[in-house]
Amino acid sequence: MAVFALAAAVLVAWSLRHSGGHLVYALDDAYIHMAMARNLAEHGVFGVTRYGFTSSSSSPLWTLALAGLFALVGARDWLPLVLNLVFAASLLLVAGRLLSAHGVASRPRFLALLAVAFLTPLPALTLVGQEHILHAALTLAFAGLLPSAAPALLLLAPLLTAARYEGLFLVLIACLVLAARRRLRFAAALGAVSLLPPVVYGLVSVAHGWYPLPNPVLLKGALGEHLTGWHRLGLVPFLGGWSELVRTPHLLALVALAAIALLARWRSPSSREGTLLLLFVGTTLLHVQYAKTGWFYRYEAYLVALGIVALAVALHGLGGVVRPAWLPALLASAALLSCGVRGVRSYLETPGAVGNIYEQQIQMGRFLARFYAGQAVAANDIGAICYLADVRAFDLWGLASREVAEAKLTGRYATPWIAERARAQGVRVAVLYERWLEAAGGIPPEWVRAGRWRVARNVVLGDRTVAFYAVDPAEAGPLADNLRAFAPELPPRVDQLGPYTR
């Protein structure tokens, strides 16, 4: 914990140098949760704006936890950071207890915990400002209790699925393990309680006219928007996702090593060690089939933490039982190398990612808060602008606009449709990545570009350049004037381009 705390402190201090001394998170998505939490705490509205419900959170537990804290102490930017530090300490504590319970000696236990801390990677995820460390901690706690079928699993399961919907993958594998051991009633009860959060959320969402699943789950799923033909086989568990696994070398190396350990006769799959390996391999295969990996190290973070702990337990005391003897060592080295590269990259990239969000999304939010408060604005990154500005967001990506998500899922999302809906919603200006609309046919021709901001180096942004458009041509002059007035306040590394600079 001390080593992790020191590494996290250094990373925060390093990141502050890229954000003008302001605490800024490394992804805009963190501000979606913060905006929703603020609106729930201050206005009683579960939405990215105070004007209505939006099904924009893929982690209801995280959003509700933030809302509770915001209600107690106010909307403080540092609260997600503090929560992640607490959950990171909890994760290391759970991992340490789990390794100790399986007889792993102090030195290899310490090394395994260092691997969990820096390969998951916890310092970077702390500054992501989202629920992924909480999800990893709940995952390890759940996996550790499963072999004993402890009643506490019935409490952990709904927390797990409320933290991330991917928790359902782990619960499904756990239920299959319990059913194979003829614990059918407990398996059924575990499956039932794990479905409670998604079902309750779905009922609330449908009651507000939205889909049963959150829009981020629908729009970011690995299966895509148009699953047709033989690709439907990807809906059958364990049949798809292999190409995604191959494209994720750190998970591939961990899964290969776990498979070798499972197949070796020195351990029985029904043992506690075998159970952890089964949970890791099965959950990983479901994840790569139905969900995404990557996007700043976060989506598969819980799998990396679980895999490291499961393998540390399984490989402890292996000796020369497996033949050829060099195979486990080779796979372990490959896993360490691939995960190590990922951990180092995350540490080096986080300050740049923080700088990106500060130079682009935070400035967008400040600009809109000053000049367009209370007005309808179109955008495709809506986190920081909705947290910092009181705007009526028309989300061109679809996370916070039901009609956009519906148009995308039904193949109606095109330039004329975008123009018509923007007019109907009274949108005055649009702040967007131009290339994101290329697949839909491009920017509506009647929109007038007033200017662009470009950051020097892109780590996490949807594009280096964000463009400002007047949706109504009559708004082009005032928009250019507003951009000109705001120009002196932009960070010096932001290049300003377009008509308003002339």
Side-chain angles (χ1 to χ4, degrees):
M1 287 186 185
V3 174
F4 160 72
L6 177 61
V10 170
L11 189 60
V12 170
W14 187 8
S15 298
L16 289 173
R17 298 182 61 183
H18 288 72
S19 58
H22 302 280
L23 176 60
V24 174
Y25 295 103
L27 286 176
D28 185 69
D29 289 2
Y31 294 96
I32 294 178
H33 292 286
M34 293 168 69
M36 297 184 72
R38 166 180 270 175
N39 289 318
L40 184 58
E42 296 179 358
H43 306 290
V45 177
F46 191 82
V48 294
T49 73
R50 64 185 178 92
Y51 301 104
F53 176 93
T54 65
S55 185
S56 309
S57 172
S58 57
S59 178
L61 179 61
W62 181 259
T63 304
L64 292 174
L66 275 182
L69 292 174
F70 282 4
L72 289 174
V73 301
R76 311 297 181 187
D77 293 357
W78 46 264
L79 279 172
L81 175 67
V82 171
L83 276 181
N84 271 330
L85 290 172
V86 171
F87 291 133
S90 302
L91 171 61
L92 293 173
L93 179 62
V94 171
R97 292 284 180 88
L98 186 52
L99 292 166
S100 180
H102 284 268
V104 180
S106 58
R107 181 172 295 179
R109 184 165 73 244
F110 176 67
L111 294 175
L113 289 175
L114 284 180
V116 170
F118 292 101
L119 305 185
T120 298
L122 296 185
L125 292 175
T126 299
L127 269 170
V128 164
Q130 293 180 259
E131 72 281 356
H132 303 283
I133 298 178
L134 168 62
H135 181 214
L138 291 171
T139 295
L140 282 186
F142 183 90
L145 287 174
L146 183 65
S148 61
L153 287 169
L154 298 175
L155 296 176
L156 279 175
L159 291 176
L160 184 63
T161 55
R164 293 276 311 169
Y165 277 52
E166 291 91 330
L168 291 168
F169 303 150
L170 179 60
V171 175
L172 173 59
I173 301 300
C175 290
L176 292 176
V177 169
L178 290 169
R181 296 176 185 174
R182 299 184 180 181
R183 298 292 304 272
L184 298 179
R185 289 185 179 179
F186 192 77
L190 192 63
V193 296
S194 72
L195 290 173
L196 283 177
V199 168
V200 171
Y201 183 94
L203 292 174
V204 172
S205 183
V206 169
H208 285 85
W210 291 64
Y211 291 104
L213 291 174
N215 280 24
V217 175
L218 289 171
L219 296 175
K220 295 182 179 181
L223 294 177
E225 298 174 6
H226 305 289
L227 193 63
T228 58
W230 63 271
H231 292 290
R232 289 173 181 162
L233 290 175
L235 293 171
V236 181
F238 308 112
L239 282 187
W242 298 103
S243 59
E244 181 71 18
L245 184 61
V246 171
R247 288 193 298 267
T248 315
H250 48 285
L251 284 184
L252 178 62
L254 290 172
V255 167
L257 184 55
I260 293 294
L262 271 174
L263 293 173
R265 294 187 179 275
W266 64 276
R267 283 285 190 262
S268 167
S270 62
S271 67
R272 293 192 304 164
E273 296 87 348
T275 299
L276 285 176
L277 292 170
L278 285 172
L279 290 175
F280 167 65
V281 172
T283 304
T284 300
L285 294 181
L286 288 176
H287 182 102
V288 296
Q289 180 174 352
Y290 295 115
K292 289 284 184 73
T293 59
W295 200 238
F296 210 70
Y297 312 100
R298 58 195 180 113
Y299 287 145
E300 76 275 18
Y302 77 107
L303 294 173
V304 175
L306 177 59
I308 290 171
V309 172
L311 288 168
V313 169
L315 297 178
H316 179 60
L318 174 59
V321 176
V322 175
R323 293 290 185 268
W326 49 263
L327 185 56
L330 176 64
L331 289 173
S333 300
L336 181 62
L337 178 62
S338 58
C339 291
V341 169
R342 178 174 180 270
V344 171
R345 286 185 59 190
S346 74
Y347 207 84
L348 296 176
E349 290 181 352
T350 297
V354 167
N356 282 167
I357 300 301
Y358 174 70
E359 291 171 351
Q360 192 179 92
Q361 273 86 356
I362 296 298
Q363 305 311 317
M364 289 158 50
R366 293 178 59 237
F367 173 78
L368 293 174
R370 178 175 301 183
F371 297 106
Y372 294 94
Q375 299 183 34
V377 174
N380 31 36
D381 257 358
I382 46 89
I385 67 172
C386 288
Y387 180 66
L388 296 174
D390 178 22
V391 295
R392 297 176 180 268
F394 178 55
D395 182 8
L396 296 170
W397 182 244
L399 302 185
S401 295
R402 183 196 57 79
E403 55 190 343
V404 173
E406 183 180 358
K408 283 189 168 187
L409 294 172
T410 56
R412 295 184 294 110
Y413 190 70
T415 300
W417 185 92
I418 294 170
E420 188 277 326
R421 292 314 304 158
R423 284 194 302 269
Q425 299 222 1
V427 173
R428 293 181 60 190
V429 300
V431 187
L432 50 84
Y433 302 131
E434 292 168 311
R435 67 180 183 87
W436 280 28
L437 293 186
E438 289 177 359
I443 307 295
E446 62 269 31
W447 294 10
V448 179
R449 187 170 66 192
R452 292 180 293 170
W453 295 344
R454 178 177 296 162
V455 302
R457 176 174 173 266
N458 185 14
V459 178
V460 297
L461 300 173
D463 199 315
R464 281 179 59 201
T465 304
V466 61
F468 294 79
Y469 278 84
V471 173
D472 181 351
E475 183 64 26
L479 175 57
D481 291 339
N482 294 336
L483 287 168
R484 203 172 293 117
F486 191 77
E489 300 185 27
L490 283 174
R493 286 166 50 88
V494 177
D495 291 330
Q496 303 180 59
L497 311 166
Y500 86 92
T501 61
R502 297 168 191 159

